[in-house]
Amino acid sequence: VQLVESEGGLVQSGGSLRLSCAGSGFPFSNYFSTYYGSWVRQAPGKGLEWVSTIYTDGTTTNYVDSVKGRFTIYRDNAKNTLYLQMNSLKSEDTALYYCAIRQDIVDWASSFNYKYWGQGTQVTVSS
């Protein structure tokens, strides 16, 4: 299984950016749709921070408080793709963003032992 993230980029404060994460190589009966999908970020000099998770039902979502109302996670199971729409970006959103998937429910904010990870994509927000 491979997760490939779209390019991030440099955006001005207040701007928007959409990240995507395309999965491939899923074995039969273990489809992308059976995985919970998350976005995790790492700011310069800091540890991993969970950002958001979408459940296998495609409807249930969770967000870290700092991005609620600004970020939206969604998925397209037909395309094996996870998305993160980021609006009203702030300088504190600058980080390396990773997508990650797993098949169990955990404490999203503190568990980072995902089964598969994307390669990471840099998002830089200029003030």
Side-chain angles (χ1 to χ4, degrees), residues 36 38 50 53 55 62 102 104-111 114:
Y36 299 86
S38 294
W50 166 78
T53 296
Y55 282 38
N62 296 94
R102 63 190 304 155
D104 56 336
I105 295 175
V106 295
D107 180 345
W108 303 115
S110 61
S111 300
Y114 287 85

Side-chain angles (χ1 to χ4, degrees), residues 26-98:
F26 293 94
F28 181 71
S29 78
N30 207 20
Y31 304 121
F32 173 78
S33 60
T34 67
Y35 289 85
Y36 299 86
S38 294
W39 289 93
V40 176
R41 67 187 179 186
Q42 186 169 26
K46 296 188 176 181
L48 293 174
E49 178 187 34
W50 166 78
V51 175
S52 181
T53 296
I54 185 166
Y55 282 38
T56 54
D57 62 8
T59 300
T60 305
T61 57
N62 296 94
Y63 298 91
V64 67
D65 285 347
S66 61
V67 308
K68 282 181 181 177
R70 300 189 298 120
F71 289 13
T72 302
I73 188 172
Y74 59 103
R75 65 193 297 164
D76 185 338
N77 288 335
K79 296 182 178 180
N80 291 350
T81 302
L82 186 67
Y83 299 94
L84 185 69
Q85 177 66 45
M86 304 183 292
N87 298 329
S88 302
L89 282 161
K90 304 176 181 180
S91 58
E92 51 262 46
D93 295 318
T94 294
L96 187 60
Y97 283 73
Y98 297 93

